[in-house]
Amino acid sequence: GQQVMQIPQYQHVQEGEDFTTYCNSSTTLSNIQWYKQRPGGHPVFLIQLVKSGEVKKQKRLTFQFGEAKKNSSLHITATQTTDVGTYFCAGNGGSQGNLIFGKGTKLSVKP
Amino acid sequence: DAGVIQSPRHEVTEMGQEVTLRCKPISGHNSLFWYRQTMMRGLELLIYFNNNVPIDDSGMPEDRFSAKMPNASFSTLKIQPSEPRDSAVYFCASSLQGAVGELFFGEGSRLTVL
């Protein structure tokens, strides 16, 4: 079945450094979504990418969808302590309409 | 506007007991998802309903797990009998457009089976 792999599993950065997490799907995706989960919280939607090669920005966050629609990345510029949490990608393969989550990248930021 | 409401927030039970988790999706949303989150396995999709009908239940671990959605405003996830390996946080999420649009997650139900 459809699998979504995400790396790295953990990332520790100094405040002000950049951060990137990568997501790869075993199958072509119709869309990909990104979520953030704060410690002890629930996943919160950040963005959805639909088009091949699409790039979207939200302030310091840049999201990219690969040309083949099988991979995606999230880049945070100049991390802040408020960026702490786990970032998940979630892919929709389209056949059943369900959303398969990667295992997430846990980001810690040292002030 | 109220978000997705789950109950109970925490449940501690003994092995062999029946557990029922409840979810009220956002009014007007036609899709509902149950996910289980553990450190080892991450967020696993258990079952997905669209217009109260189960569309994909391939993630339901085994016959001990069952889910129902009797109407558009209520869903239950039942585990009978429960086992220690069922300990996890169970999230319910709803959306307007299935997996095409944003999923709104509830706060989760943390289950501990002793």
Side-chain angles (χ1 to χ4, degrees):
Chain A
Q2 179 189 343
Q3 291 188 340
V4 176
M5 310 300 291
Q6 197 172 346
I7 57 169
Q9 192 174 357
Y10 302 96
Q11 186 79 58
H12 309 282
V13 300
Q14 192 76 34
E15 188 172 23
E17 292 181 339
D18 292 356
F19 159 75
T20 304
T21 173
Y22 300 91
C23 186
N24 286 285
S25 169
S26 57
T27 58
T28 302
L29 301 170
S30 59
N31 67 68
I32 195 159
Q33 299 178 13
W34 286 90
Y35 290 78
K36 177 182 178 181
Q37 184 176 22
R38 294 184 186 274
H42 58 277
V44 175
F45 177 83
L46 293 176
I47 208 160
Q48 176 171 274
L49 305 171
V50 179
K51 299 177 184 176
S52 168
E54 189 171 13
V55 177
K56 286 188 176 180
K57 293 190 176 184
Q58 289 180 351
K59 297 182 180 178
R60 295 178 294 104
L61 277 61
T62 302
F63 304 84
Q64 193 163 5
F65 201 9
E67 293 289 341
K69 300 184 73 173
K70 295 181 75 172
N71 58 67
S72 181
S73 65
L74 158 59
H75 180 82
I76 302 178
T77 304
T79 54
Q80 300 174 359
T81 54
T82 53
D83 295 326
V84 164
T86 301
Y87 292 85
F88 293 94
C89 61
N92 176 8
S95 58
Q96 294 270 32
N98 53 30
L99 204 59
I100 304 301
F101 279 75
K103 289 202 171 180
T105 297
K106 187 173 182 178
L107 172 65
S108 63
V109 180
K110 188 175 181 182
Chain B
D1 193 16
V4 175
I5 300 172
Q6 290 187 246
S7 65
R9 291 293 311 278
H10 302 274
E11 172 113 3
V12 180
T13 190
E14 292 188 344
M15 183 173 64
Q17 296 298 307
E18 177 179 296
V19 173
T20 300
L21 307 178
R22 297 172 177 80
C23 176
K24 177 178 167 54
I26 293 173
S27 177
H29 283 193
N30 65 0
S31 300
L32 185 140
F33 303 76
W34 281 101
Y35 285 90
R36 175 172 69 177
Q37 186 174 40
T38 60
M39 288 292 292
M40 288 296 294
R41 301 174 71 91
L43 266 168
E44 300 174 274
L45 176 65
L46 299 178
I47 188 168
Y48 156 49
F49 292 88
N50 197 42
N51 292 320
N52 313 337
V53 176
I55 302 300
D56 181 7
D57 65 355
S58 59
M60 295 288 266
E62 48 199 90
D63 291 346
R64 297 185 298 106
F65 284 69
S66 63
K68 293 182 179 180
M69 192 163 186
N71 57 63
S73 59
F74 184 66
S75 177
T76 59
L77 177 67
K78 186 175 291 187
I79 308 172
Q80 166 64 19
S82 59
E83 296 181 3
R85 61 191 168 122
D86 302 329
S87 298
V89 180
Y90 291 81
F91 286 105
C92 174
S94 70
S95 76
L96 276 170
Q97 303 173 285
V100 176
E102 174 181 355
L103 264 61
F104 293 81
F105 281 79
E107 301 277 351
S109 294
R110 181 176 293 276
L111 173 65
T112 302
V113 183
L114 303 174

